[in-house]
Amino acid sequence: MSSIKKAIFPIAGLGTRFLPATKSIPKEMLIVLDRPVIEWAVIEASKAGIEEMIFVISSNKNSVIEHFDRSEILENALKKKKKIDQIGLVQSQNQLGSFSFVIQDEPKGLGHAVWCARKFIGTNENFAVILPDDIILSKIPAIKQLMRVHLKTNGGSVLGLESVPKKEVSKYGVIKIKKRYENYFSISNLVEKPMYSQAPSNLTVVGRYLLNSKVFNYLSLQKKGYGNEIQLTDSLVQLTDKPGLYGIEFNGKRFDCGSKFGFIEANINFGLNDGDIKSNLKGMLRKL
Ligand code: G1P
């Protein structure tokens, strides 16, 4: 069993939940604290030992590519002004890993987006999928917590999970529990965005996945599911055979940065975690 070195970031979406902010700015480029949402997701992957970052993009996302490239003009200008600390700040993105890009030319769903990156993944290889809308504040990177379950289960596929109030299950993929272990579950089935009354549990899938390349067999069939889209959730049932499909309620706080509330919540929590602004921010919040 080899360690997981590649992550797919599906970021071709239009960001229609966050208009007008995302009319010309990709939603992944909205700023939480002092860096774009996508950088937080890539930092998480990099800290977990992932080396190859594969972005599934659409053609209007050039600013994402630029953000992970070096900017010699900026570096030279900062050098001239002797702003040495800031040079490191703008070079760090490029050092988080190697970057590849593949275009998803039609918005056919998350399963289709992941399938677009299939050429980057080998036969019987395990890889990560990270949805950067969900950013996670945690001591141990969330994807690393999934990797630990992958090792414990001798190479099982693993999903990040969160339990939500039952009335909210219809916004997510929902798992059916096969067995409960100390801090993780084995999964026998999943449903994408079920109605409250038909949900198999209140354990929902967060945007963190460790998957085996077997999922591409199903995704290649291009079968449409919920919302007439090719759903990643539907392909995951392929992974329930040995070594199996598992899920973990990771330690950490997740914020849905694709929504107004989640985005503000993320900014406040990342701010409270930042040494420079923490005490001012606390003071400001107390006065509200
Ligand atoms: C996607 C997945 C869903 C998952 C969610 C997590 O849905 O399809 O299974 O629970 O991400 O954020 P979306 O938010 O793209 O509708």
Side-chain angles (χ1 to χ4, degrees):
M1 189 185 11
S2 61
S3 58
I4 293 169
K5 294 288 170 205
K6 299 177 188 168
I8 299 176
F9 298 79
I11 53 171
L14 287 174
T16 47
R17 282 196 298 151
F18 215 150
L19 286 168
T22 50
K23 189 177 168 193
S24 66
I25 302 171
K27 64 176 172 170
E28 298 78 17
M29 291 302 288
L30 297 176
I31 307 298
V32 170
L33 188 61
D34 59 356
R35 55 199 77 214
V37 165
I38 180 71
E39 190 178 333
W40 290 115
V42 173
I43 289 174
E44 178 189 328
S46 183
K47 277 190 181 161
I50 289 172
E51 293 165 357
E52 288 184 47
M53 316 292 170
I54 303 154
F55 289 180
V56 181
I57 56 169
S58 49
S59 57
N60 58 347
K61 305 257 173 168
N62 282 336
S63 54
V64 176
I65 302 182
E66 278 169 36
H67 187 74
F68 290 96
D69 195 1
R70 280 188 66 179
S71 169
E72 284 193 36
I73 298 179
L74 189 55
E75 284 176 33
N76 288 337
L78 292 170
K79 241 180 245 166
K80 263 192 203 152
K81 292 186 175 172
K82 301 213 168 20
K83 297 194 166 175
I84 305 300
D85 290 353
Q86 283 172 323
I87 297 178
L89 277 184
V90 299
Q91 280 176 334
S92 61
Q93 296 71 27
N94 190 251
Q95 293 158 358
L96 290 168
S98 71
F99 294 87
S100 307
F101 304 92
V102 57
I103 299 251
Q104 182 188 21
D105 54 5
E106 274 182 276
K108 288 187 182 169
L110 179 60
H112 178 255
V114 171
W115 179 79
C116 286
R118 68 199 177 282
K119 298 256 162 66
F120 291 93
I121 311 293
T123 313
N124 203 21
E125 183 172 357
N126 296 299
F127 61 98
V129 174
I130 298 185
L131 311 185
D133 268 6
D134 287 332
I135 62 170
I136 297 169
L137 196 56
S138 62
K139 283 209 182 96
I140 301 166
I143 202 77
K144 176 122 200 183
Q145 298 182 45
L146 270 64
M147 285 175 179
R148 288 179 177 170
V149 178
H150 172 71
L151 288 177
K152 257 192 204 164
T153 56
N154 293 318
S157 293
V158 191
L159 314 177
L161 300 177
E162 197 171 64
S163 61
V164 301
K166 255 228 153 166
K167 57 180 186 328
E168 284 183 33
V169 288
S170 55
K171 290 198 260 174
Y172 302 100
V174 181
I175 68 151
K176 183 167 185 197
I177 301 169
K178 188 162 148 197
K179 198 170 166 195
R180 200 177 286 259
Y181 296 84
E182 47 207 280
N183 72 336
Y184 63 96
F185 302 91
S186 64
I187 298 171
S188 60
N189 201 3
L190 300 106
V191 195
E192 179 68 7
K193 304 195 171 76
M195 274 162 36
Y196 163 84
S197 55
Q198 281 161 14
S201 72
N202 69 335
L203 281 172
T204 60
V205 180
V206 169
R208 298 295 181 275
Y209 308 75
L210 293 183
L211 304 178
N212 184 273
S213 52
K214 267 193 275 178
V215 286
F216 293 123
N217 300 340
Y218 179 89
L219 293 173
S220 299
L221 304 174
Q222 309 262 321
K223 272 197 194 161
K224 289 184 178 160
Y226 178 88
N228 210 25
E229 291 189 344
I230 300 168
Q231 295 293 347
L232 183 62
T233 301
D234 296 341
S235 71
L236 303 180
V237 180
Q238 302 292 304
L239 302 172
T240 52
D241 290 344
K242 257 192 160 181
L245 179 63
Y246 301 87
I248 175 171
E249 285 184 277
F250 51 84
N251 289 318
K253 270 191 188 169
R254 172 194 75 112
F255 307 102
D256 172 13
C257 287
S259 75
K260 275 193 269 191
F261 181 77
F263 179 73
I264 305 258
E265 207 188 1
N267 265 296
I268 292 174
N269 280 275
F270 275 68
L272 290 173
N273 199 44
D274 181 84
D276 288 345
I277 67 164
K278 188 159 106 184
S279 65
N280 281 348
L281 182 59
K282 266 192 189 157
M284 185 275 280
L285 290 170
R286 249 182 252 123
K287 280 189 216 141
L288 289 180

